[in-house]
Amino acid sequence: LKGHILGQASWMGTYQRCHLLRRSLECYARQTIGVENFALVVIDDGSTDGTRELLKEWASNSRLDVHYFRLEKEPGKWRDSASFLNMGISYALHGIGAEYVFATHPEIMPGFDCLNMAFAIQAGQYIGHKGYYLTPEQQADIDSVDWRGSVTNVRFLPGFYDQHPDIQGPVQDYQHHNMDRHKTWNSWIFGGMHRDLWLRFGGFTEFETWGSVDVDFLARRTAARIPTYTPQEDACFVIHQNHDNP
């Protein structure tokens, strides 16, 4: 929709997440770095829920620099985002020449200083933002709190520190009170690197099984001894909106 050489790009792959992407776009429009200093790259895996129209509206009315690409596939075919993760990264690096590239998801609402934290990355570092994973009940009530003032206002949702997401794996790590304490967050929900490190790292390994890319991404960074830096400020938290409701 627009295009120029710029400092940063945040990219995501999406499918049928328009209802969650609406809030995420508001958070991008409120970034402290300023909308003129970053691009949002979206690869849409054939959504039919109005995603394209939503992004066109935002690109026209909010000055967000949106780069939208739509893929087609057979109706009903499932395709893991790993199959097109590298398209977005490659475009951000080579198509628009971004210096820093963040990979994320449509349901992620970034705190308003997330993109500005790229300038805190040291050479050879990965920056991984931590965030709250909402339950279906918390997701249903999210608009009852002022997340537009600060995404961490989700803490005021009723029983926020008593209800926790049902996540396979190390469940305690994802509990809200423990998320407040984490000094490093390696799970990939909103994170990025300088272009030089992306080029050396080589993007993501592509899989056809759900969840494999997340494990592999961490394992490869660990093997390559790439340290993770996790900001602690409230303005650098992200919110993982719940998408369990069919």
Side-chain angles (χ1 to χ4, degrees):
L1 300 175
K2 304 175 186 175
H4 55 77
I5 304 300
L6 76 170
Q8 296 183 50
S10 179
W11 103 264
M12 64 182 71
T14 188
Y15 179 68
Q16 305 294 63
R17 298 279 169 86
C18 181
H19 60 298
L20 303 178
L21 181 58
R22 291 179 184 277
R23 296 186 188 88
S24 301
L25 290 172
E26 285 202 43
C27 294
Y28 281 105
R30 294 167 182 262
Q31 290 295 304
T32 56
I33 193 175
V35 294
E36 69 278 3
N37 294 314
F38 71 90
L40 184 64
V41 181
V42 182
I43 297 184
D44 182 0
D45 198 26
S47 297
T48 58
D49 62 349
T51 293
R52 171 191 267 170
E53 291 74 18
L54 175 68
L55 288 165
K56 283 187 176 181
E57 176 185 346
W58 270 88
S60 300
N61 299 333
S62 70
R63 297 185 297 112
L64 277 181
D65 190 2
V66 179
H67 300 243
Y68 175 85
F69 300 90
R70 179 181 173 85
L71 305 178
E72 300 296 342
K73 62 183 179 182
E74 298 177 9
K77 176 180 173 60
W78 179 83
R79 181 161 51 192
D80 190 77
S81 61
S83 65
F84 50 88
L85 280 168
N86 292 328
M87 298 180 190
I89 296 173
S90 180
Y91 176 77
L93 293 173
H94 305 295
I96 56 179
E99 186 175 3
Y100 298 94
V101 177
F102 289 82
T104 186
H105 311 276
E107 62 269 20
I108 299 300
M109 300 163 56
F112 305 145
D113 211 25
C114 281
L115 289 173
N116 193 42
M117 291 304 295
F119 303 109
I121 304 176
Q122 298 179 10
Q125 270 188 332
Y126 168 78
I127 183 169
H129 291 257
K130 62 182 181 178
Y132 297 123
Y133 292 68
L134 301 185
T135 67
E137 295 77 16
Q138 290 163 354
Q139 182 65 41
D141 291 339
I142 188 172
D143 291 326
S144 68
V145 298
D146 181 24
W147 55 263
R148 291 179 177 86
S150 170
V151 298
T152 53
N153 281 337
V154 296
R155 294 168 180 160
F156 296 108
L157 288 168
F160 181 75
Y161 283 101
D162 299 320
Q163 302 175 16
H164 307 291
D166 182 16
I167 294 178
Q168 295 182 3
V171 176
Q172 288 188 341
D173 285 350
Y174 293 85
Q175 293 178 348
H176 300 321
H177 60 276
N178 286 328
M179 191 63 70
D180 289 342
R181 301 187 182 107
H182 289 314
K183 298 304 180 185
T184 302
W185 188 246
N186 282 308
S187 181
W188 164 55
I189 48 176
F190 190 97
M193 298 184 279
H194 187 271
R195 63 177 293 111
D196 292 342
L197 187 53
W198 276 117
L199 291 170
R200 293 201 304 270
F201 186 77
F204 291 89
T205 307
E206 298 182 11
F207 294 93
E208 295 185 358
T209 52
W210 182 88
S212 299
V213 62
D214 305 83
V215 178
D216 180 79
F217 186 38
L218 174 56
R220 287 179 56 215
R221 295 195 331 259
T222 301
R225 298 183 179 179
I226 298 174
T228 297
Y229 165 65
T230 299
Q232 300 298 309
E233 297 83 357
D234 278 5
C236 295
F237 265 72
V238 304
I239 304 303
H240 186 293
Q241 297 184 81
N242 190 286
H243 49 77
D244 291 342
N245 190 322

